[in-house]
Amino acid sequence: MSWTRPSNIPFPSVWHTFKAKDLDSDELVEYRVQDMPPEYHQKAMDLMQFDFLRDEVLCASTEISKDEVSLKEILELWQQMLKGNTVLACFRENSDELVGLNMVMVETKDNPESKDYDKKIRGEKWKIVYGAVKELINRCNVFEKYNVDKYLGAMGLSVDTKYRGRGIGVEILKARVPMCKALGISLTSTVFTGIASQKQAIRAGFTDDVEVDYSELNRLGYHLPGVKVKSIKLMSLEIK
């Protein structure tokens, strides 16, 4: 069955605060990571469509944004995730500008919609991208490995280009811990496709479950031209 956010968890909640450099100076200012407010849904979609799809390894390699059907399907998936009220948003103090976000969702063990999603995909580029991600997930059943019936997963993290180089991606990942504790979830698990995102995950406390070379994915039929990264990883963090 699918997961629904408990009604006793306030929405939106602030999950994490941290200090990092301001936008126009080296002064340290406070940032917060919170639930994505509904009025920011379109800004979130724009950041994912125009920044994430350009930068993320699988999406860039397949040029998924040029495939109209694939683009439509991945945007529809993100819109559904936003409706689940678990997507994380980062803001700077005294500013209403969306700094970054993480498209997170709760995956449950017996959710047929999630299990059969790949069978409904029509876009050729999205089939490749989602298939590559699913390849790693299939190699390590985290439900069994960690003995859980649900976990916090994700399908994309992006930081506005103006705010990069401040460690914000790491802090957004760290915000999953207090969120999971509040929601009664003991594991967060994600496929990280690039070197930068893998390093961020390590800094946030994640460890490797599965690592697959991109050369192997290509041999398996996932056409991923021009990828210069060595490998893709499924990584997890247990919430103590």
Side-chain angles (χ1 to χ4, degrees):
M1 60 185 294
S2 60
W3 179 89
T4 301
R5 182 180 174 122
S7 59
N8 64 322
I9 305 298
F11 180 87
S13 291
V14 174
W15 299 112
H16 179 51
T17 60
F18 63 97
K19 289 187 180 294
K21 288 183 180 179
D22 203 350
L23 185 60
D24 300 316
S25 73
D26 289 338
E27 179 184 358
L28 295 180
V29 298
E30 188 165 283
Y31 294 76
R32 70 184 185 279
V33 184
Q34 63 165 75
D35 295 316
M36 179 71 70
E39 62 269 25
Y40 279 84
H41 282 192
Q42 187 55 54
K43 291 182 179 179
M45 293 295 293
D46 289 346
L47 185 58
M48 295 300 289
Q49 180 176 351
F50 299 112
D51 285 40
F52 178 81
L53 292 184
R54 177 196 64 215
D55 298 334
E56 190 276 321
V57 174
L58 299 176
C59 295
S61 172
T62 57
E63 297 185 309
I64 195 171
S65 60
K66 295 182 180 180
D67 179 348
E68 184 176 340
V69 177
S70 292
L71 178 60
K72 180 175 183 291
E73 289 178 320
I74 194 170
L75 293 179
E76 287 174 346
L77 177 62
W78 284 331
Q79 287 167 343
Q80 284 299 118
M81 293 172 70
L82 285 165
K83 292 177 182 178
N85 291 337
T86 55
V87 174
L88 294 170
C90 181
F91 296 94
R92 177 170 53 98
E93 67 174 14
N94 302 319
S95 172
D96 60 359
E97 183 177 30
L98 182 62
V99 171
L101 64 93
N102 194 190
M103 284 284 181
V104 297
M105 72 293 189
V106 177
E107 292 280 8
T108 57
K109 188 173 184 178
D110 299 314
N111 182 6
E113 292 180 8
S114 180
K115 287 183 178 179
D116 299 333
Y117 174 77
D118 54 336
K119 299 175 183 177
K120 302 175 184 178
I121 296 174
R122 295 183 300 112
E124 292 303 317
K125 303 297 187 181
W126 184 219
K127 282 181 183 179
I128 294 172
V129 172
Y130 191 84
V133 171
K134 196 71 178 289
E135 180 73 31
L136 274 83
I137 293 173
N138 288 341
R139 293 192 185 199
C140 177
N141 186 324
V142 297
F143 294 113
E144 294 182 359
K145 178 177 179 178
Y146 295 99
N147 192 29
V148 297
D149 60 1
K150 59 184 176 295
Y151 69 88
L152 190 69
M155 192 60 72
L157 186 155
S158 187
V159 175
D160 188 307
T161 53
K162 298 191 301 296
Y163 288 94
R164 294 180 185 178
R166 293 169 170 78
I168 289 171
V170 176
E171 300 298 335
I172 293 176
L173 289 174
K174 288 180 179 179
R176 294 191 195 182
V177 174
M179 170 186 262
C180 283
K181 288 180 177 180
L183 297 177
I185 296 171
S186 61
L187 181 74
T188 179
S189 184
T190 300
V191 172
F192 294 92
T193 62
I195 295 174
S197 63
Q198 291 163 7
K199 288 182 177 179
Q200 288 175 342
I202 291 171
R203 289 173 60 191
F206 286 72
T207 57
D208 294 358
D209 289 312
V210 178
E211 180 177 7
V212 178
D213 284 357
Y214 277 101
S215 58
E216 181 179 349
L217 289 180
N218 275 296
R219 288 195 300 271
L220 291 172
Y222 301 100
H223 184 54
L224 298 166
V227 174
K228 298 180 180 179
V229 182
K230 179 183 183 294
S231 61
I232 180 173
K233 297 181 177 185
L234 174 65
M235 305 175 72
S236 296
L237 171 61
E238 291 187 273
I239 313 300
K240 304 294 186 180

